[in-house]
Amino acid sequence: MFRSDVRRYLSVYLVMDLSGHEGRSALDIARAALDGGVTMIQLREKKAPLSRVIEEGRALRELCREFGVPFLVNDRVDVALALDADGVHVGQDDLPGAEARKLLGEHKIIGISAGTIGEAEWAMAQGADYLGVGAVYSTLTKGDAGAPIGTGLISEIKQRWPHIGMVGIGGIDASNAVPVIRAGADGVAVVSAIVRQSDPRSAARQLLREIQRGRS
């Protein structure tokens, strides 16, 4: 139900795992963040046992449904199917988007990462509903993110394919979100800017304000 209007949900895109939250549960952080204005959540979990991913992933999915926002799974199409997630986000080296579409069906969201024009073009050919473009700024959250590329690629993609949904990702927080939006992104995908803050609700709210400022 979200796919046809996916750009509406890209404003504050929270990427989170299940662990390492200093005594706070992922569910509590997600609830506070959603209450602050997060518009989409992606579960990116690489280390936890699959049984835990399924159990806690279902709780996150239900929370997202309570707030009326999409819940996506990173990379794992099998987990997305098990959780009845609203879609997946895949990288350039993961299951191709067209194959993910065959497995998930026509109503699910497929997001694909892009760090070059060539990768963006390939993602479009694979049927991406939106692109995750970056790393825009330097980031320590994702070890394989590569060198920062700035906002120029976002502008170029926007010029070539104005219809595609797009989020900037990598090192983005409330202090530097505005240039990402002004370059042409629909929103920003963040991790530490929300999950590592003492007040995720306020952090999400502040980020949403900056995104709205970038659009004005």
Side-chain angles (χ1 to χ4, degrees):
M1 76 181 194
F2 297 112
R3 185 189 177 199
S4 61
D5 198 19
V6 67
R7 293 176 69 173
R8 173 185 168 194
Y9 297 98
L10 296 176
S11 297
V12 185
Y13 185 143
L14 175 60
V15 181
M16 66 185 305
D17 59 17
L18 298 175
S19 305
H21 301 309
E22 299 180 352
R24 300 177 296 174
S25 75
L27 198 65
D28 286 344
I29 291 172
R31 181 176 289 279
L34 287 162
D35 197 42
V38 159
T39 54
M40 185 181 289
I41 288 182
Q42 178 196 133
L43 175 60
R44 185 173 72 192
E45 180 53 68
K46 305 288 188 180
K47 299 177 181 178
L50 190 55
S51 58
R52 182 184 173 198
V53 173
I54 297 300
E55 181 182 355
E56 296 190 34
R58 282 188 179 134
L60 279 171
R61 179 203 67 195
E62 290 308 307
L63 183 63
C64 286
R65 287 181 178 174
E66 179 184 330
F67 279 83
V69 306
F71 170 71
L72 273 63
V73 172
N74 179 261
D75 294 353
R76 296 288 301 270
V77 175
D78 57 337
V79 173
L81 283 166
L83 295 178
D84 189 24
D86 299 300
V88 294
H89 185 94
V90 295
Q92 293 286 318
D93 298 325
D94 299 320
L95 185 71
E99 297 303 317
R101 171 71 61 215
K102 290 177 187 176
L103 294 168
L104 291 174
E106 290 301 316
H107 299 295
K108 301 294 186 177
I109 298 167
I110 306 289
I112 302 179
S113 300
T116 66
I117 278 292
E119 290 181 353
E121 191 165 18
W122 180 84
M124 300 281 289
Q126 289 293 311
D129 295 307
Y130 75 88
L131 305 178
V133 181
V136 177
Y137 305 120
S138 180
T139 177
L140 299 177
T141 305
K142 194 170 187 289
D144 60 352
I149 60 173
T151 60
L153 180 60
I154 292 172
S155 298
E156 190 172 353
I157 292 171
K158 185 70 174 179
Q159 218 170 19
R160 292 194 185 200
W161 301 290
H163 65 285
I164 190 68
M166 185 167 32
V167 290
I169 188 168
I172 301 170
D173 57 28
S175 72
N176 58 20
V178 169
V180 180
I181 301 304
R182 291 184 176 164
D186 296 284
V188 298
V190 301
V191 183
S192 59
I194 291 177
V195 300
R196 293 184 182 172
Q197 305 308 306
S198 59
D199 188 344
R201 182 182 290 102
S202 293
R205 192 172 291 136
Q206 184 182 7
L207 195 53
L208 181 59
R209 280 198 299 265
E210 289 304 298
I211 288 165
Q212 290 167 341
R213 187 165 74 88
R215 292 171 179 165
S216 64

